[in-house]
Amino acid sequence: MRNILFIILAIAAIAASSCSRSSSRNIKAIDDAEALMENNLDSAMSILDAIEPADLTADSTRAKYIYLKAWGHMRQNRSMISDSLISRAHNYYKGKDITREIQSGTALAWYKFWVGDTSGAISMLDSLAAVADIPDSLLTQTLRIRVLLGASEYQGKQLIPLAKKLVAMEIDTLRKMEAQYMLVSAYEYAEEPDSALTIIDRLIDYARANRWGEKQFYFETERAQILGEMGRSAESDATIDMIFAKSSPDNGAADYLHMQYAMNALNRGDIRKASSELAIADSFAARLREIDDTYYRSYSNLMHTMIDFKQTGKMKLSHVNAINNRQHERYNRIKASQWESERGALEQQNRAMALKAESDHKTMAILVISLTCLLLLAAAGMAIRQRRRRELENEERAEALQKMVDELKQASAAKQTDDKTPAALRRAMIKQLGIIKMVAETPTEQNREMLRKISSIEKDTGGELVDWDNLFELINNLYAGFHSRLLARYGDLLTLKEQQIIVLMMADFSTKEMSVITTQTTATIYVRKSSIRKKLGVPEKQDIVAFLRQSLTT
């Protein structure tokens, strides 16, 4: 039995230890990833990718994993399609941890943008930016994305104060320049080109002073476009001439620069020049952009339509279709990319669900094993307790029996022959006990020794250890008809077992001795005594025998 208990406990301990170790490893891995997230993003994401989400059972651990995974995808500019659970992490941190609340909310907004809900993403970012008492260091990333999405939606006046705030908040020089450039776009969309030109000139000067040739080139290209929109086409052309003078004629933006030439000429009414420059732009685009020219064509097709209309005074359906087809092509490419991302995300979710199902089966198996172990432990405990109780009862019976045998031997040695004494009653009781039967049922060495001591006892009472009729008669002889008077007064109330206990109490037998004689447990004897006391109305502190002697003599 002890070996079985040991095995059960070992199985339960191993199962619990395995779950605990797995949980501890995952918590440590997530903490390590969080520590690396700022300075070593790729390593942090590798750690998170190695974790099985189905193993994360605690809400806090799962929320942290989801939040870090989405935050990492956002910073890596990767697809967010698989981060659909980020809303749960954001709800978990809301009102608990301001840093994680803002960052998980920002990741949730970026997820909304990825699934096509740009307006929802902007609303989410606006609500985060409105939270009071947020340090700039925490809000900068959120505001940066808000301005970027606002620019993608061509927001103007609404975007200007946000872009200005971002410029003031940015500490890194390159980040500050990017914020200023987004402010330029906001001014352009708000139709405030003078303000846009002022900032772009400042950026050109700064790039020139720091010898950032590529950025200077980029800003000067933007300056040419702003001047063209302001109607200052000559200055715009001069700026483009200067760009070509400082770079090769087939630089990376040659198609867009010649397109700006064409637009300036179109605004001046020089249709021939506009058509010529647009043809040059198309040739550069074919060489520079190759098949990835959708963005360029979305502009050039419109200009071709306008030039055609200026030249012929008619609109051609072929040009309108070209514009429309290019827009559809771009839209379809975006949707195809999104569908591919969604398909990959669904495959990943299916794998995760399969792994989770497998994990659930393992968890269920562990629970079943644990429950079985508990039931076996409970059953074993009850069996041990029952066995111990029986052993104690047997010991008590043996002690009582031994005492009675010793008393019988002492009485025999003293040659007490008076049949009207309690000693005689005890001798008669011992002689009537079915000792042989009891020893046969529990043939221990102790019982065999006892049998040898009382080997003179030969009476068989046919199943009962005592001949109760003889015993009741003996009680009447010894105690002036006690049993008969008991029956006459209380016979309707008392059971036979209760009568037996009363006469044994009258004969001064102990509880243990009563247990042996009546073949009942000591606990049962105590219960029956309580029942007798209630039936007869014996006061709690009064002796039952004394009460009966008094009541039966009145």
Side-chain angles (χ1 to χ4, degrees):
M1 178 65 73
R2 291 182 178 177
N3 290 337
I4 294 175
L5 286 176
F6 178 78
I7 293 171
I8 293 172
L9 289 173
I11 292 173
I14 291 171
S17 175
S18 176
C19 293
S20 176
R21 285 198 302 269
S22 177
S23 176
S24 299
R25 283 197 300 268
N26 286 332
I27 292 173
K28 185 179 184 306
I30 293 173
D31 289 342
D32 291 343
E34 185 176 32
L36 293 170
M37 188 66 69
E38 187 63 31
N39 298 318
N40 197 339
L41 181 57
D42 290 340
S43 297
M45 295 304 292
S46 296
I47 293 174
L48 293 175
D49 288 339
I51 295 174
E52 173 51 52
D55 293 338
L56 307 177
T57 55
D59 290 343
S60 58
T61 307
R62 183 183 291 272
K64 191 174 183 180
Y65 169 82
I66 293 170
Y67 142 68
L68 290 175
K69 200 77 178 289
W71 182 253
H73 287 161
M74 185 191 74
R75 291 186 56 200
Q76 288 179 323
N77 200 26
R78 287 170 54 183
S79 170
M80 297 280 289
I81 299 296
S82 62
D83 296 300
S84 57
L85 296 178
I86 183 59
S87 59
R88 295 186 184 180
H90 178 61
N91 290 332
Y92 178 84
Y93 288 121
K94 192 178 295 183
K96 296 179 182 178
D97 186 321
I98 187 61
T99 298
R100 291 172 181 166
E101 177 183 348
I102 296 299
Q103 291 184 341
S104 62
T106 304
L108 174 57
W110 197 239
Y111 166 77
K112 288 177 178 289
F113 169 73
W114 262 96
V115 298
D117 185 11
T118 304
S119 60
I122 290 175
S123 297
M124 182 78 201
L125 294 168
D126 285 339
S127 66
L128 293 174
V131 177
D133 302 324
I134 301 178
D136 289 352
S137 59
L138 181 58
L139 190 60
T140 303
Q141 177 76 3
T142 303
L143 190 59
R144 190 181 297 149
I145 295 175
R146 170 63 182 88
V147 172
L148 179 64
L149 293 184
S152 71
E153 292 293 293
Y154 305 104
Q155 291 182 344
K157 292 187 179 299
Q158 181 183 354
L159 193 61
I160 290 173
L162 296 174
K164 285 183 176 180
K165 184 177 181 180
L166 180 62
V167 170
M169 289 171 59
E170 293 285 12
I171 299 174
D172 181 79
T173 301
L174 291 178
R175 289 287 191 184
K176 187 177 285 291
M177 290 182 67
E178 291 173 0
Q180 288 178 325
Y181 184 75
M182 284 191 278
L183 178 58
V184 169
S185 299
Y187 278 127
E188 288 185 80
Y189 299 146
E191 297 183 357
E192 298 182 24
D194 292 336
S195 299
L197 186 61
T198 300
I199 296 174
I200 204 71
D201 284 341
R202 191 186 308 148
L203 290 174
I204 291 171
D205 291 341
Y206 190 88
R208 184 186 299 113
N210 289 274
R211 297 184 179 181
W212 291 344
E214 184 177 350
K215 290 192 176 298
Q216 182 181 343
F217 172 84
Y218 188 78
F219 294 146
E220 286 176 345
T221 302
E222 186 69 25
R223 184 176 189 275
Q225 179 180 333
I226 295 172
L227 289 170
E229 291 182 3
M230 294 175 69
R232 296 160 62 175
S233 57
E235 293 179 63
S236 178
D237 287 346
T239 300
I240 297 171
D241 291 342
M242 180 187 65
I243 292 172
F244 277 125
K246 292 190 295 185
S247 61
S248 62
D250 58 348
N251 61 63
D255 48 352
Y256 288 105
L257 290 171
H258 281 284
M259 183 185 290
Q260 188 62 49
Y261 271 143
M263 191 174 296
N264 292 337
L266 188 62
N267 287 334
R268 291 194 301 266
D270 190 347
I271 305 302
R272 181 177 295 179
K273 174 71 172 174
S275 179
S276 172
E277 290 295 339
L278 189 57
I280 297 172
D282 287 345
S283 65
F284 273 115
R287 189 165 71 251
L288 296 174
R289 313 295 170 189
E290 297 181 349
I291 61 173
D292 189 23
D293 64 345
T294 305
Y295 185 73
Y296 169 82
R297 289 295 180 185
S298 65
Y299 289 97
S300 65
N301 285 338
L302 178 60
M303 290 193 64
H304 277 293
T305 302
M306 295 174 64
I307 291 172
D308 242 21
F309 180 75
K310 286 284 188 180
Q311 289 175 334
T312 65
K314 297 178 181 179
M315 287 288 292
K316 290 184 179 180
L317 185 60
S318 59
H319 287 157
V320 176
N321 285 338
I323 296 172
N324 186 56
N325 289 340
R326 287 295 178 178
Q327 292 297 330
H328 271 291
E329 183 181 347
R330 184 182 181 191
Y331 172 78
N332 289 336
R333 286 187 181 182
I334 293 173
K335 291 302 293 184
S337 176
Q338 183 175 338
W339 288 337
E340 183 64 25
S341 297
E342 289 176 353
R343 187 175 66 83
L346 287 174
E347 290 177 354
Q348 184 177 354
Q349 289 176 3
N350 288 335
R351 287 194 297 270
M353 289 177 65
L355 291 172
K356 185 178 186 303
E358 182 181 351
S359 176
D360 289 343
H361 290 156
K362 291 179 181 178
T363 302
M364 184 59 68
I366 291 173
L367 289 175
V368 170
I369 292 172
S370 300
L371 181 59
T372 304
C373 290
L374 289 175
L375 292 175
L376 290 174
L377 284 172
M382 291 179 63
I384 292 172
R385 183 178 178 183
Q386 186 72 14
R387 181 179 177 182
R388 180 59 180 161
R389 186 166 62 84
R390 286 197 301 268
E391 289 176 352
L392 290 174
E393 290 175 359
N394 289 337
E395 289 175 5
E396 290 176 354
R397 286 170 178 267
E399 289 175 3
L401 201 55
Q402 182 67 57
K403 182 180 178 182
M404 295 171 71
V405 170
D406 291 342
E407 289 177 355
L408 177 62
K409 289 174 64 178
Q410 292 173 6
S412 298
K415 297 182 179 180
Q416 296 177 358
T417 59
D418 188 358
D419 290 337
K420 301 292 185 178
T421 64
L425 179 61
R426 285 180 174 274
R427 288 197 302 275
M429 192 73 69
I430 288 294
K431 289 178 181 180
Q432 294 185 52
L433 289 175
I435 302 301
I436 296 175
K437 179 181 178 182
M438 190 166 70
V439 171
E441 290 176 351
T442 54
T444 64
E445 183 60 34
Q446 186 180 20
N447 286 344
R448 283 193 291 270
E449 177 64 24
M450 187 176 300
L451 180 61
R452 285 192 292 270
K453 290 181 180 180
I454 57 174
S455 58
S456 61
I457 300 175
E458 298 175 353
K459 185 170 180 61
D460 184 2
T461 58
E464 287 280 356
L465 296 181
V466 171
D467 186 339
W468 287 100
D469 291 336
N470 289 340
L471 180 61
F472 290 148
E473 183 179 352
L474 196 58
I475 287 291
N476 280 332
N477 292 333
L478 288 172
Y479 299 103
F482 176 82
H483 180 254
S484 297
R485 287 185 285 119
L486 180 68
L487 285 179
R489 185 75 174 267
Y490 299 110
D492 294 338
L493 295 176
L494 299 171
T495 65
L496 179 60
K497 290 291 186 184
E498 290 169 345
Q499 295 175 33
Q500 293 170 1
I501 291 173
I502 288 174
V503 296
L504 291 175
M505 291 169 64
M506 188 69 183
D508 199 25
F509 281 90
S510 69
T511 301
K512 289 183 180 179
E513 291 170 342
M514 293 180 197
S515 172
V516 173
I517 295 168
T518 62
T519 64
Q520 301 177 79
T521 65
T522 54
T524 303
I525 299 296
Y526 283 121
V527 170
R528 292 193 185 280
K529 284 183 178 181
S530 297
S531 176
I532 291 169
R533 185 178 293 277
K534 290 179 181 179
K535 288 181 178 181
L536 302 183
V538 181
E540 188 66 32
K541 295 184 179 181
Q542 187 173 355
D543 181 67
I544 295 176
V545 173
F547 174 84
L548 285 171
R549 281 177 174 169
Q550 182 180 358
S551 64
L552 293 177
T553 55
T554 58

